[in-house]
Structure formats: structure tokens, C-alpha cells
Amino acid sequence: VIHRQEPWWNLFSVGNMTLRLEHLVLDGEPGEAENAASILRTTAGGHLVLGPGCVLRNGRHAEQCPGISVAGSGATLVMEDGAVVRDCTTTGAESWATAIRVGYRDPVDVKPRFEMRGGLVTNCVSLSTKAAGDGYGGAVYIQNAEFVMSGGAIVGNTSPVEGKAAAGLIVYDGGGVTFTGTARIENNFGGAHDVYRTEGGSIRMAGDFRGRAGISSGDQ
């Protein structure tokens, strides 16, 4: 288990290199305090792989992304079977990206990419009071980036305050999502439950798709 000693540190920041993590617990250890940085960060040219037995837990941030930030041209995150991201919380009224944020408000030359081949994102809580339609909430947040989900599950995440923000996946401006294989997004509960696409985002289902994805956007 690796514990973060200071709330403004990334445990790992990956740029222009590949880092693979297996059989390791990364603990944000927030207690009641809020972290100032994501536990893991991938920047331009970085390739981060969460393999079997890699668990990231206990990120807490007032605004956004206490778990994993993936931003910069060509930045990539991969989750495989046996990897888990759990127990992350955003506490602010105007918060988003509770566990994983892929992309940023400004487009880059090569879109950041998240490939979820397996694994689990669960028990993450957004305390935002703002609406999903304005881009708030979301355990996983895709903006000016690509998300290909061929396996694994985003389940059991919530956005309980006033029933407005998204609980599961937000596909925001410039974001593109492809579901295939056994990808599963269900049992996330909030103002928007499982998958929410805002104007400027796109969702498609491709190939031999045998999974389940609840679509709760009002603008599709």
C-alpha cells in the first residue's frame, strides 16, 4: 500500500513514458481533508496501465478529479480486469469528475484516450448541487477525449444532493464514447443515473456489444 503524505502531491505523474501498475493499493488517505491534486496524473505522451490487483481509493477534492487525471496530447489510460477505482468524493456544489477525468476544456492535437478493457469504478460520490445538463457530476468524465469501453463496469456511484448532477458517466463537449464487448454501466443513481451525454458529446455502440448501458441524457 502506498499512502500519500501530502494532499498536493500526485503519487505518480506520467508523461512521455509508460507506467504499468499491478498488485498495488494507492490510497489518497483524505480523512475529512480535501486533496489538492489527483492521486494519479497522466500528461502529454504518457501511457498509464492499471493492471490486475491495482486499487486506487479514497481521493477527495472540492472541485474535480481526485482519482485520475488524463490530459495532454496523446495521454492514455488503460484499465484491465482486476483493477479498481473506488471511494472517491467531490464535495463542492459545482464539482465534477469524481473518479476519472479524461480530457480538458481546450482541445489538443491528439485526443486523450481511456480504454476500459476490464476493471471497476464504484462507490464514488458527487456532492454537486448543479445539473448534469450543465456538465456537473460524473464518476467518469469525458471532454475533448475518447473513451472506448469494451469490458469492466461503472456501477454503484451516486450523486445524492438535490438529485441534479450525474452519477455515472458524463460525455461532455467534444467527448466521444464507444461501447462494445461486455461493457456495463448500471445502478448509478443521481439526477442523471448511468450515462449522460450533453450537447457536443457522442455515444455509439459497436461490434459484438453484449453489455448494458443505461442512457439518461435528455438531449440525445
Side-chain angles (χ1 to χ4, degrees):
V1 179
I2 298 179
H3 300 282
R4 179 158 55 184
Q5 300 300 311
E6 299 292 347
W8 52 85
W9 290 354
N10 305 116
L11 278 178
F12 293 100
S13 183
V14 182
N16 291 317
M17 63 172 290
T18 296
L19 176 66
R20 181 180 179 88
L21 301 174
E22 296 183 3
H23 306 294
L24 182 67
V25 177
L26 307 174
D27 196 322
E29 280 203 329
E32 294 301 316
E34 291 168 350
N35 304 140
S38 302
I39 296 173
L40 295 178
R41 179 171 177 254
T42 303
T43 61
H47 185 70
L48 174 64
V49 181
L50 306 186
C54 182
V55 178
L56 184 149
R57 68 190 186 195
N58 292 333
R60 186 178 178 92
H61 197 287
E63 184 180 64
Q64 60 166 315
C65 196
I68 305 173
S69 170
V70 184
S73 183
T76 304
L77 169 67
V78 176
M79 282 186 73
E80 298 178 347
D81 282 337
V84 180
V85 178
R86 63 178 175 87
D87 306 332
C88 293
T89 305
T90 48
T91 61
E94 298 185 1
S95 61
W96 66 97
T98 306
I100 299 171
R101 180 175 182 176
V102 187
Y104 198 63
R105 66 171 65 94
D106 298 320
V108 293
D109 292 338
V110 180
K111 284 187 174 184
R113 183 178 176 90
F114 177 21
E115 297 182 20
M116 192 170 182
R117 303 168 185 169
L120 177 65
V121 178
T122 191
N123 201 39
C124 295
V125 180
S126 169
L127 298 180
S128 177
T129 63
K130 300 297 183 178
D134 294 326
Y136 292 98
V140 177
Y141 201 98
I142 309 297
Q143 181 181 15
N144 290 314
E146 297 291 336
F147 177 28
V148 178
M149 187 179 183
S150 58
I154 300 171
V155 299
N157 303 288
T158 58
S159 179
V161 180
E162 297 185 21
K164 290 183 177 181
L169 167 68
I170 281 191
V171 190
Y172 198 58
D173 186 34
V177 171
T178 299
F179 295 120
T180 188
T182 59
R184 184 162 57 95
I185 302 181
E186 60 184 352
N187 297 323
N188 303 282
F189 298 105
H193 299 315
D194 295 319
V195 181
Y196 193 95
R197 183 193 72 86
T198 67
E199 184 177 359
S202 66
I203 297 172
R204 72 187 189 106
M205 298 180 184
D208 182 18
F209 178 53
R210 292 161 284 125
R212 296 185 294 277
I215 309 295
S216 62
S217 69
D219 181 35
Q220 59 183 347

